[in-house]
Amino acid sequence: MEIRKIKKSELGKVMEFNRKEYPAGHILQNETYYNWQFDNVFNPESDSYTSLGLFNDAGELVGTNGLFPAPITFLSKSLPCIWFANLIVREDLRSLGYGYLLMEKSVSMADMAVDHNINAAAWPLFIKSGWQGGDIERYLGIINPEGAERVIGQSNLGLKVLSSLPTNDSGLNFESVSKFDSEVDALWESVSQRYPISIERSSKYLNWRYAEHPMTKYHIFSANAGNEMKGFIVLRIDEITEGPERKPSGVKIGRIIDWVADSSAEEFILLQAIEWCRDQKVDFIDYFTTENFHAESLKKLGFVNDREEPYSLMPTLLNPIDRVKRTRHNFAFKISNPERLDSKAQDLGNWYAVKGCGDQDRPY
């Protein structure tokens, strides 16, 4: 067996492998998405993807680990990091150690590695291999209780409704963003201490991840004091569907995909985002985040952790609605460079992760 980067000329092999190993319609069977994700702005090579392939002696692709190398802000330093996107081995070769070999090779490519939404079957392998991590919380903000109850499948739940927008006396402006520039680099330099360990939100990363995404429409807004950016928020509007045919339910969800702000702008930008969602006839909003960040503003404005009843009844899978299978987002990390070991990294409260991190927010 050989583990190496997948060449761009081998895209046909990748698509064939993904069609066999993933369910029909899976996003990794889409060439546009694959090229965006793994021939990204952080790819230093012109003839290879950033992802690794496991090849047998006949040259067949029998396993992959989708990767992208984006810097991480790690306790005030910018460090190389490998972000896992998809780790999978051909079905007949599983439980033979090949997944572990792919993981170890991947981790060795940078100072540290991070993965999001590791499934229950794989989680023990990660922990046994020296990874650490935990769950990501989900907050819900209800705008139209009737729409939210339709998704839950129950009525008269007494759901709390989000606050209305007060008069703006903050001196800040809420503006639409089509492209990130040096203003966001300055913002991240000034606020990154609020998010001690997190993907580095440079203009390079944010334009690739959101502004120039080839398949997903993100709505990006900033809070500005004059010409100075004080924060940004990334939203996505989805039509919730029902049944195998994925018929429109008539209910809309607003998703907070990413959110970074100075303390003076945090509440303001959330209030404005709520009002924008209200204008878009959104029924409810959700936000996946590690719990210690923005929690005060979220709770003040009426967001509720979905671990609380009756909000725990809200399905996590909405396209189509699945009221039986429930998933929780998680994340895990491993530091491969001993020089980077720091006790602060062991405190999961220092890690800021959202739905936009890794590859968790996909077109479908």
Side-chain angles (χ1 to χ4, degrees), residues 51-82:
S51 48
L52 289 181
L54 174 70
F55 295 86
N56 64 17
D57 293 341
E60 297 174 311
L61 182 65
V62 295
T64 68
N65 195 13
L67 306 168
F68 65 94
I72 191 170
T73 295
F74 185 78
L75 306 173
S76 301
K77 297 178 181 179
S78 177
L79 300 178
C81 183
I82 285 291

Side-chain angles (χ1 to χ4, degrees), residues 197-208:
I197 308 176
S198 186
I199 198 163
E200 186 176 289
R201 286 165 173 80
S202 64
S203 55
K204 180 178 180 179
Y205 166 74
L206 293 169
N207 282 324
W208 165 69

Side-chain angles (χ1 to χ4, degrees), residues 57 93-94 281-282 355-356:
D57 293 341
L93 295 175
R94 293 172 192 170
K281 308 300 182 185
V282 162
K355 191 172 176 63

Side-chain angles (χ1 to χ4, degrees), residues 241-261:
T241 62
E242 296 178 299
E245 303 83 11
R246 299 191 177 188
K247 295 180 179 179
S249 67
V251 180
K252 293 168 70 174
I253 180 173
R255 297 189 181 275
I256 299 175
I257 304 299
D258 208 339
W259 176 19
V260 164

